[in-house]
Amino acid sequence: MRQLLSFLYGSLLFAVCQAQEEYTCPAIGGEPVEITIPASGGKISLEIAKSKKNTVCNLFRVVAKEGKDIDNFSGNSSNDNFILEPVARSFHKKPWQQIKGPYATRTKVRSCNKLQCTVKIPIARTGNYKYVLVTSGHALKNVNEERARFLSQTTFGPTMTDITDWDHGDGLTGFANYLEKQIAMPATLHREYWRKHMDYAIRNEHIRESTQVPMHPCNQYSRWRDYSFTAGDYGKEFKVEAIQVDGAGEMLMISVLDADTVRSGLNYYEPRTVNATFQPFDDDCTVPGKEDYCGTGEYQTCYGFSEGIGGNINYRPKDRLDLGCRNMRNPKIFLPAEVWSQNTANGGHMVAVGLPAKDKFEEMPGVIAELRPYWFVGQSLRMTVDNWSAVQCPALLDENLKWDFRYLTGFVGETGEQLHYDGYAVILENTVENPFSDGGLFKEGYSSNGYLPCANSVMDFTNMDSCVLSPGDGCVPVEISVDRWAITNEAKEGVLVCGSHGEVANNPGFEDKYDNNMFRMFDTGRSVFFNGFGQQKGSVWAQIALEADDQLRQRIAWAFSQILVITPYQIDESQELSECFLNYHDIFVRNAFGNYRDILKEVAYSPMMGEMLSYQESRSGAYVERVEERVSRPDENFAREIMQLFTIGVNRLKIDGSEMKVKTDDGRSSIPTYDNSDIQNFARAWTGLRRHARRGNFEGRWADRNRINPMVVEGARRDQFPKMDLFKNYIGDGYPECTDLPEKQYLRIGATYRLLGSHNFALMHFEEWNWPNNVNLLRLSLNTTSALYQELCHPDGSESGPCDFKPQVHISSNLACDKNECNLDTVRVVQVGEDPPVYYEYLKPACVEFAFENSKKLKKIADRRDNAMCVNKKINDAAMPVCCGASTTWVTSECNYSMERVSYKTNEERCPVDGNIGVCSWQNVHFPNPQGQHCNFNGVYEENYRTFHWTNETCSIQARVTKEGTVAIVHDPNMDINSVLAEDNQQKVMHLVNSTNINFFKVNWKGGEHPSAENNCGTAECELVDDECLCAVSVKRRRLFKTVPPLKFTEYLVHGAPDIAALDDGKYTKSADSTDDVDVYHKTGKTEYGTSTIFSVVRNEKRIFLKNYISRVIIAGSTYEFRNPVSMMSLVNPETRDAHYETDAVLDHYFYHPNTPTFIAMRLIERFGNSNPSPRYITAVSKSFTSGKYVKTK
């Protein structure tokens, strides 16, 4: 494992070793020693003594700026006159070494002895420069200085107490002990910290848009207010009307229009208070022009609110945008009995409740929203008693209220003082470690009309190990709900419930610290906390940096956040959101001591990164062509940035951080790691990602975007064609060919099953939105006698008792088939158990398909939209079976479960069982009665899912070659059927692979030569069409090795094979030729090294199996040939499962690229206090990154 823990020892302890061994230098501050430069130029060899103890000696190339004389340079010279370019250095008696600088890579350190080294440097013939030696140094005086230096790298700054109370031991042992203790500390998650301290109001009708629930009025910490207007009233209409009050005469009642009732056509005005007068606080209503703002009438609030009695409220006459806003003071709540009587008579919504005495409330101060007078929000009174049980409280639990307390008024103790309920939110715990037991179903009734969405997360790679089945009814995630646009939540027993990292409950007892974006306050688009919202995430980071005990983890997380950056201003509503930014930062907090590969994957799937670099919703060109009938290219932003900034950098590096160079006509040039064609190529690998559907219990509104959960991949939108890697091989190399997987792979080693729960909607296979819970959908039900059933029901190996369903089950031994299973080629979703039913989804192991095949391996398949294409006859998950009778006008398709796929051989074997004549070239497919056995459960062609069926027609594949040498796949199926089909029902080649498709990809031509218009395509077997060559091809497999190869030569083996253990016993035998590094397997009974020979090696920390051949594509009638590309995506059924496999393979390619350890090591070192690390330092950290360990013995 490439553990980032190794970086700590490789970086921090490395620096400590330098400090402990004391860096000093002879003649510190002395005049630089000038190197004699020959006039002839060229290279000179210098014998330079190593630096002395506690010194660093630098060799600089000093260049005089324009108009300055190099002879005037001295140790006291100004940097304004000269440029010092570092060339090499020696420190603390260490050998000389080249360092960063424009001349570093041309400087060579030759032999060294105990006293000196030979340094070879390049000398230009002319120039206003010289070479000098400069020494400097600093010795750490005591252990406190050593500890201070160490802690300055491992924390955000030590205190004197941290230094003087050090109790971890002395020297390197003490530093190592400190690191181990820091690593063992629990992580302080930023999202968790913010949620615990979050305290915000759900105002009025915004409860309908909330993803959280309001606190119950009877509970401790419930909030109340004594002022009339809230920040949520911005832009609302209100009216002032006269009312007779007993003992006071005529007074003025202020009522605010409830926007929610406007939508329903009721136009209900909610009484807020009764006052003697109504006018601006600083205006005289007798002044001409000011009377429009006074007395009875209809008004509208405008910019500027302050929550609190006497606070600022801006308003103007209704529908008079020509008039400016005036200020009035926020009035105290006073609703006399006459208001309540009127409310009852008019069928109003107001509800009253008794409250405890005023001394049972504590004042919660407001927060300044703008740096202007009277603009503050959040002032409230917080109830301190627990479970207030006045008579009125139980009535509030009445089902009809639906937790809608917006019109609730409380009467305080015996004084009768009135308070309005202030609906501060409650967010509940739904962590990965402790997900909602019912998925958040209880929240459905919390708001009016059940508007709160389900809080349950869909299973993904970040939470799958802790997902559980709900013991009773559970909330089905909106993502897989029967109706994704339904208002109310779907409930089922035994739903799979999953949590989210850091999704803890808030603590209303905390002092106010953080608010939440619930609505926009101002018509300028600014939120209530224009400054506050934007600064909250920074405030959380600062508080944790100052207070958290896990300083090392936070420091590392900060370093990674500086490398894998998201820019707030490229995220919509970034000034109004906190939780999604903090959740992104937590990727680095959680994985600080883990594997950089895990960080890379979480970042790649992050909806925040997807939004910032615009690759979310990026779709393949073929998908856009089919759906929108236009030409489109995938977004390239992330494909570029993940290479340039996150993994390999722009130029090839040596392990010490220096650049590799290649000789050119202009001298020596850097070697790029990628070019623009690579960016375009890899952009296709980042298609198909989108955000998950909305859910509840995190910051945002009901219909807001889900920026919390990792993005989901839609296989139908992923580019399906081969993708060349950065070394002219292909993404997918090393994986077995799909046709090589053993029969009934779903029962063999390597098969994986993911729990779906009682909801049978597949997540890793494509399924249309209207498929879930369809009564006609037939899933394969396993018998209790089945070995697969037992494996899924009792994964621990027990044979009795209730089932113990695990989120994921890996088949670890080959299983026997049972009854109907023996008739299947593969499975999709299987049912285990009845009450409630529990489903698992089968995940076939990652495998590849060749882009080109010889025609004898192919058959034509066709769908009900008259599309045809070619597919390998051995592929068992591409096409449905078709059985032909006496007529081919209508043929029958029957399966054992919905969407069953079979190989061509199985199709042939099934048909005679029913007395049919076999497979034919059919015109139309008949689906049997839904209650019987069927393939497509409703007989309807789904827009995104291709229901292909086998035919007995021949097929061939051609190559279309551009002048640049890129290639497109062209299928050429037999189309004789069109002679009997109506003109408007003619079969056509699928757009993906027809003769005009533009789905070109890079190939590796032998010798770089290929057919083109310039050479008239080079052969009569190619046709020149629109400056491109359409060529017949053949495929040949060439043996690579006649004996067991050395490990380094196995890099030429690119085609994978299945795990030997998954094959039938006795099919292969291990050869005695096997070495410590390379295992050899021959088919039993054979000893010759042929194309069937399998080698096994460890590559990229995993044991893989490789075939002893290379597949080549030959242009017919020529010597042109190229390596046969492979793809992890099927051209027939682009499954989500395979898109995930391909994404992992792409990430592995970046991660295991030889540049990545050094590139990331250099960036981490820079962020831990060394902006110019030595090559030795970089090498040590790079090796630690690669090996997963760092050892320092002295």
Side-chain angles (χ1 to χ4, degrees):
M1 291 289 289
R2 298 187 176 193
Q3 300 293 330
L4 294 183
L5 171 58
S6 67
F7 162 71
L8 300 175
Y9 287 96
S11 176
L12 301 175
L13 286 184
F14 190 96
V16 167
C17 295
Q18 293 174 325
Q20 190 181 30
E21 296 169 350
E22 299 182 338
Y23 304 91
T24 60
C25 181
I28 297 174
E31 277 296 307
V33 176
E34 184 175 346
I35 304 297
T36 302
I37 300 176
S40 59
K43 287 188 176 181
I44 61 172
S45 293
L46 308 174
E47 299 294 331
I48 307 178
K50 297 177 183 177
S51 60
K52 294 184 179 180
K53 185 177 180 180
N54 297 329
T55 68
V56 58
C57 187
N58 287 286
L59 175 62
F60 288 110
R61 183 177 185 268
V62 184
V63 181
K65 293 186 178 180
E66 186 176 357
K68 306 298 179 183
D69 188 347
I70 190 65
D71 292 332
N72 293 331
F73 172 78
S74 69
N76 298 319
S77 296
S78 170
N79 290 335
D80 294 334
N81 300 326
F82 303 95
I83 300 173
L84 273 68
E85 298 173 342
V87 175
R89 71 182 173 194
S90 168
F91 60 90
H92 195 60
K93 302 193 296 185
K94 301 294 183 183
W96 279 86
Q97 55 190 197
Q98 63 190 49
I99 56 177
K100 289 182 179 179
Y103 290 87
T105 55
R106 298 180 63 189
T107 300
K108 302 297 181 183
V109 178
R110 300 302 186 184
S111 58
C112 290
N113 56 35
K114 292 183 179 181
L115 300 178
Q116 61 189 18
C117 294
T118 300
V119 181
K120 199 169 186 178
I121 59 175
I123 302 297
R125 293 181 181 275
T126 59
N128 196 13
Y129 72 93
K130 65 171 62 174
Y131 282 90
V132 298
L133 294 173
V134 179
T135 60
S136 60
H138 173 72
L140 299 176
K141 299 176 182 178
N142 52 52
V143 293
N144 281 347
E145 287 197 6
E146 291 180 357
R147 292 167 184 168
R149 182 175 186 229
F150 174 77
L151 290 174
S152 68
Q153 291 182 288
T154 58
T155 71
F156 289 104
T159 66
M160 185 56 68
T161 301
D162 294 331
I163 297 170
T164 57
D165 291 355
W166 179 272
D167 60 354
H168 306 289
D170 297 330
L172 287 179
T173 300
F175 295 142
N177 290 339
Y178 173 86
L179 294 179
E180 291 176 357
K181 290 178 182 179
Q182 282 285 306
I183 292 167
M185 284 185 177
T188 304
L189 298 182
H190 292 229
R191 182 189 182 199
E192 179 178 311
Y193 184 94
W194 180 81
R195 285 175 65 92
K196 283 181 178 179
H197 294 80
M198 194 179 71
D199 201 7
Y200 75 96
I202 303 180
R203 306 292 193 187
N204 299 333
E205 74 274 3
H206 297 291
I207 192 173
R208 293 175 57 109
E209 303 175 11
S210 173
T211 55
Q212 296 89 35
V213 300
M215 185 178 298
H216 195 285
C218 300
N219 287 354
Q220 184 182 22
Y221 303 127
S222 63
R223 299 297 190 89
W224 300 81
R225 69 175 191 273
D226 55 6
Y227 48 90
S228 299
F229 287 87
T230 72
D233 292 324
Y234 165 70
K236 288 184 180 178
E237 297 176 16
F238 67 93
K239 65 181 179 180
V240 180
E241 55 189 332
I243 185 174
Q244 292 294 324
V245 177
D246 187 27
E250 184 176 277
M251 298 186 72
L252 299 178
M253 179 173 69
I254 302 175
S255 303
V256 178
L257 179 63
D258 184 348
D260 192 29
T261 64
V262 172
R263 287 191 289 265
S264 61
L266 298 178
N267 291 347
Y268 172 69
Y269 281 84
E270 175 198 359
R272 292 292 179 86
T273 191
V274 172
N275 276 353
T277 61
F278 178 79
Q279 66 181 55
F281 78 91
D282 57 356
D283 286 331
D284 184 350
C285 289
T286 63
V287 176
K290 301 295 180 68
E291 66 275 4
D292 291 333
Y293 296 87
C294 304
T296 59
E298 294 184 337
Y299 303 90
Q300 186 175 21
T301 60
C302 47
Y303 187 83
F305 268 81
S306 191
E307 296 184 337
I309 296 174
N312 180 74
I313 302 294
N314 281 356
Y315 74 101
R316 62 187 166 206
K318 178 187 173 184
D319 299 329
R320 292 296 304 276
L321 299 180
D322 58 312
L323 297 179
C325 293
R326 294 286 186 267
N327 300 327
M328 69 173 178
R329 297 302 194 193
N330 202 339
K332 180 180 175 64
I333 296 170
F334 172 60
L335 298 174
E338 287 78 7
V339 175
W340 291 93
S341 299
Q342 180 176 306
N343 173 73
T344 302
N346 296 336
H349 303 280
M350 294 169 58
V351 178
V353 65
L355 295 177
K358 192 68 174 287
D359 63 358
K360 302 302 182 183
F361 292 84
E362 60 181 338
E363 292 188 4
M364 303 301 296
V367 180
I368 293 178
E370 293 283 354
L371 300 178
R372 303 184 187 184
Y374 307 115
W375 287 24
F376 54 91
V377 295
Q379 180 174 314
S380 61
L381 298 169
R382 187 165 69 179
M383 187 188 296
T384 59
V385 295
D386 191 14
N387 296 323
W388 172 242
S389 57
V391 176
Q392 292 91 339
C393 269
L396 297 176
L397 299 176
D398 184 271
E399 191 178 61
N400 294 327
L401 275 177
K402 293 282 187 182
W403 284 76
D404 189 352
F405 308 120
R406 71 185 101 164
Y407 307 119
L408 181 63
T409 300
F411 289 82
V412 176
E414 297 179 355
T415 67
E417 181 181 353
Q418 296 166 356
L419 303 175
H420 274 316
Y421 171 71
D422 216 11
Y424 272 68
V426 175
I427 54 173
L428 303 174
E429 181 171 355
N430 184 37
T431 61
V432 168
E433 299 79 11
N434 186 33
F436 281 128
S437 62
D438 62 2
L441 177 66
F442 63 89
K443 294 178 63 177
E444 180 182 4
Y446 270 32
S447 66
S448 62
N449 302 317
Y451 265 76
L452 284 170
C454 178
N456 195 2
S457 288
V458 174
M459 178 190 284
D460 60 56
F461 65 91
T462 68
N463 63 16
M464 67 170 59
D465 292 335
S466 59
C467 296
V468 295
L469 296 180
S470 62
D473 281 349
C475 186
V476 178
V478 178
E479 191 84 21
I480 58 175
S481 177
V482 173
D483 186 352
R484 297 184 184 182
W485 291 271
I487 291 175
T488 57
N489 295 318
E490 180 188 355
K492 287 176 69 70
E493 184 178 357
V495 165
L496 187 68
V497 294
C498 305
S500 177
H501 287 287
E503 196 163 304
V504 299
N506 64 334
N507 186 341
F510 283 164
E511 295 299 318
D512 282 341
K513 285 197 176 182
Y514 303 113
D515 211 307
N516 173 297
N517 173 34
M518 286 308 303
F519 53 88
R520 289 186 174 181
M521 173 62 184
F522 304 119
D523 54 4
T524 57
R526 293 187 293 178
S527 68
V528 174
F529 286 86
F530 176 68
N531 295 316
F533 278 131
Q535 298 300 320
Q536 281 187 147
K537 41 191 173 285
S539 175
V540 171
W541 181 90
Q543 288 294 120
I544 290 176
L546 291 171
E547 299 174 355
D549 292 328
D550 57 333
Q551 286 282 297
L552 180 59
R553 179 186 294 274
Q554 299 300 329
R555 180 70 188 269
I556 293 174
W558 172 82
F560 280 122
S561 73
Q562 303 299 302
I563 298 171
L564 299 110
V565 177
I566 56 171
T567 305
Y569 292 101
Q570 290 180 269
I571 305 293
D572 289 347
E573 302 173 325
S574 63
Q575 285 298 309
E576 303 171 4
L577 298 170
S578 299
E579 188 168 2
C580 55
F581 284 94
L582 299 171
N583 183 66
Y584 178 81
H585 187 82
D586 281 341
I587 293 174
F588 313 124
V589 176
R590 289 186 283 104
N591 295 287
F593 302 135
N595 194 311
Y596 186 67
R597 170 64 168 75
D598 296 333
I599 291 178
L600 207 57
K601 182 171 183 176
E602 287 205 47
V603 166
Y605 277 87
S606 167
M608 300 293 284
M609 185 62 74
E611 183 173 350
M612 192 198 79
L613 290 180
S614 63
Y615 63 103
Q616 64 168 4
E617 303 293 345
S618 179
R619 300 166 297 170
S620 72
Y623 178 89
V624 175
E625 179 189 3
R626 177 172 64 86
V627 176
E628 301 180 13
E629 298 182 346
R630 64 181 180 88
V631 175
S632 174
R633 300 295 183 190
D635 187 276
E636 298 176 6
N637 278 340
F638 187 67
R640 177 183 60 255
E641 300 302 303
I642 193 173
M643 292 189 290
Q644 179 180 342
L645 301 178
F646 302 164
T647 52
I648 63 176
V650 295
N651 293 320
R652 289 293 305 272
L653 301 173
K654 299 177 183 178
I655 195 172
D656 65 0
S658 60
E659 289 189 357
M660 295 182 180
K661 298 288 185 179
V662 62
K663 288 185 178 180
T664 64
D665 294 339
D666 298 327
R668 293 171 59 84
S669 299
S670 300
I671 305 172
T673 52
Y674 62 89
D675 59 25
N676 197 57
S677 68
D678 293 315
I679 295 173
Q680 295 172 337
N681 174 58
F682 279 106
R684 298 187 293 116
W686 297 108
T687 52
L689 288 104
R690 63 164 177 80
R691 295 188 189 98
H692 270 288
R694 70 191 187 280
R695 66 178 183 87
N697 204 47
F698 60 79
E699 181 185 30
R701 290 179 289 250
W702 179 81
D704 267 355
R705 303 159 178 167
N706 185 339
R707 292 185 172 102
I708 296 295
N709 295 92
M711 289 190 289
V712 65
V713 183
E714 288 192 13
R717 300 185 177 195
R718 172 60 66 95
D719 182 276
Q720 299 161 250
F721 294 91
K723 300 165 182 71
M724 182 176 279
D725 68 19
L726 296 171
F727 300 109
K728 296 187 177 181
N729 291 313
Y730 288 91
I731 300 300
D733 281 350
Y735 290 92
E737 187 182 355
C738 295
T739 55
D740 283 341
L741 295 178
E743 291 185 2
K744 295 178 175 52
Q745 173 63 58
Y746 66 94
L747 295 173
R748 295 178 182 264
I749 292 172
T752 299
Y753 289 82
R754 286 182 61 173
L755 183 62
L756 298 176
S758 60
H759 210 286
N760 63 16
F761 188 85
L763 295 175
M764 301 297 280
H765 295 76
F766 178 82
E767 302 215 336
E768 288 283 356
W769 66 268
N770 61 347
W771 288 6
N773 286 352
N774 189 295
V775 295
N776 292 326
L777 193 66
L778 180 65
R779 299 301 195 187
L780 178 67
S781 181
L782 301 179
N783 297 310
T784 57
T785 56
S786 163
L788 178 58
Y789 176 96
Q790 293 300 323
E791 192 79 11
L792 299 178
C793 179
H794 302 293
D796 59 353
S798 63
E799 299 181 358
S800 62
C803 289
D804 179 21
F805 298 115
K806 301 298 184 185
Q808 191 160 256
V809 177
H810 302 282
I811 304 302
S812 57
S813 61
N814 294 336
L815 306 176
C817 63
D818 179 75
K819 299 180 181 177
N820 193 40
E821 295 170 10
C822 300
N823 300 321
L824 308 176
D825 281 354
T826 187
V827 297
R828 183 184 181 92
V829 173
V830 298
Q831 179 180 337
V832 186
E834 296 289 345
D835 190 20
V838 174
Y839 298 92
Y840 274 91
E841 180 177 15
Y842 165 61
L843 302 185
K844 181 180 71 174
C847 60
V848 298
E849 296 181 19
F850 283 114
F852 296 89
E853 296 278 14
N854 290 322
S855 58
K856 66 180 181 180
K857 291 186 175 184
L858 303 172
K859 283 293 182 183
K860 183 178 86 172
I861 59 174
D863 69 11
R864 299 183 68 230
R865 288 286 180 90
D866 303 318
N867 294 297
M869 61 191 305
C870 306
V871 72
N872 189 309
K873 293 184 291 186
K874 293 179 66 177
I875 295 290
N876 63 17
D877 58 359
M880 301 178 186
V882 172
C883 295
C884 306
S887 171
T888 61
T889 303
W890 283 94
V891 296
T892 302
S893 177
E894 295 187 356
C895 298
N896 291 280
Y897 59 86
S898 298
M899 282 75 71
E900 184 188 11
R901 305 291 189 262
V902 299
S903 67
Y904 184 78
K905 177 183 176 182
T906 298
N907 193 157
E908 288 184 308
E909 292 172 348
R910 282 193 183 180
C911 293
V913 175
D914 296 326
N916 297 312
I917 63 173
V919 187
C920 65
S921 183
W922 44 268
Q923 299 176 39
N924 299 284
V925 178
H926 169 70
F927 292 95
N929 186 290
Q931 277 66 46
Q933 295 176 338
H934 52 288
C935 289
N936 194 356
F937 71 94
N938 59 7
V940 176
Y941 177 86
E942 303 297 348
E943 180 62 29
N944 291 318
Y945 199 78
R946 300 159 189 164
T947 51
F948 282 99
H949 298 76
W950 288 106
T951 78
N952 64 352
E953 296 286 358
T954 58
C955 219
S956 63
I957 301 179
Q958 301 171 310
R960 186 157 147 244
V961 186
T962 66
K963 62 181 180 181
E964 294 83 11
T966 58
V967 169
I969 302 168
V970 176
H971 286 196
D972 186 22
N974 184 306
M975 288 298 193
D976 289 347
I977 188 67
N978 282 338
S979 63
V980 297
L981 294 178
E983 186 175 347
D984 60 352
N985 198 34
Q986 295 277 295
Q987 278 191 359
K988 56 187 179 298
V989 180
M990 191 73 181
H991 75 285
L992 283 170
V993 288
N994 64 22
S995 60
T996 61
N997 84 81
I998 56 173
N999 301 303
F1000 294 100
F1001 51 87
K1002 297 198 296 183
V1003 299
N1004 189 4
W1005 291 94
K1006 180 181 178 181
E1009 299 292 330
H1010 61 84
S1012 66
E1014 294 179 354
N1015 57 30
N1016 199 30
C1017 296
T1019 172
E1021 299 293 333
C1022 293
E1023 178 185 1
L1024 184 61
V1025 181
D1026 296 331
D1027 290 330
E1028 295 168 352
C1029 299
L1030 182 62
C1031 303
V1033 300
S1034 62
V1035 177
K1036 185 173 183 179
R1037 293 184 174 184
R1038 296 193 175 118
R1039 180 181 63 176
L1040 287 178
F1041 295 106
K1042 297 180 180 180
T1043 60
V1044 58
L1047 179 62
K1048 64 179 181 179
F1049 290 153
T1050 62
E1051 293 180 0
Y1052 294 101
L1053 298 168
V1054 294
H1055 300 311
D1059 188 335
I1060 291 292
L1063 303 177
D1064 291 335
D1065 290 342
K1067 186 171 184 178
Y1068 272 82
T1069 302
K1070 187 174 182 178
S1071 171
D1073 294 345
S1074 299
T1075 67
D1076 291 340
D1077 297 322
V1078 182
D1079 289 337
V1080 183
Y1081 296 89
H1082 297 297
K1083 283 189 174 180
T1084 299
K1086 294 185 177 181
T1087 58
E1088 181 182 356
Y1089 286 75
T1091 57
S1092 64
T1093 299
I1094 294 177
F1095 298 103
S1096 179
V1097 298
V1098 175
R1099 183 181 291 176
N1100 295 338
E1101 304 173 289
K1102 293 183 291 187
R1103 178 160 293 280
I1104 61 172
F1105 298 85
L1106 299 161
K1107 285 290 191 73
N1108 184 30
Y1109 68 79
I1110 187 75
S1111 179
R1112 307 287 298 180
V1113 179
I1114 315 298
I1115 301 296
S1118 77
T1119 59
Y1120 298 127
E1121 65 177 80
F1122 57 88
R1123 206 207 106 179
N1124 198 356
V1126 297
S1127 177
M1128 304 186 78
M1129 296 296 297
S1130 166
L1131 291 179
V1132 182
N1133 295 318
E1135 301 287 16
T1136 293
R1137 168 202 66 206
D1138 299 329
H1140 279 286
Y1141 287 151
E1142 185 180 67
T1143 302
D1144 278 332
V1146 171
L1147 291 173
D1148 282 341
H1149 182 59
Y1150 298 146
F1151 181 65
Y1152 290 105
H1153 190 286
N1155 249 40
T1156 300
T1158 302
F1159 182 79
I1160 298 301
M1162 292 168 65
R1163 268 115 197 102
L1164 287 173
I1165 292 170
E1166 289 170 356
R1167 286 154 181 83
F1168 279 84
N1170 193 331
S1171 60
N1172 189 19
S1174 68
R1176 189 167 67 94
Y1177 190 178
I1178 296 171
T1179 299
V1181 178
S1182 300
K1183 288 181 176 179
S1184 295
F1185 183 95
T1186 303
S1187 66
K1189 60 184 178 181
Y1190 175 78
V1191 178
K1192 184 67 178 178
T1193 57
K1194 66 175 182 176

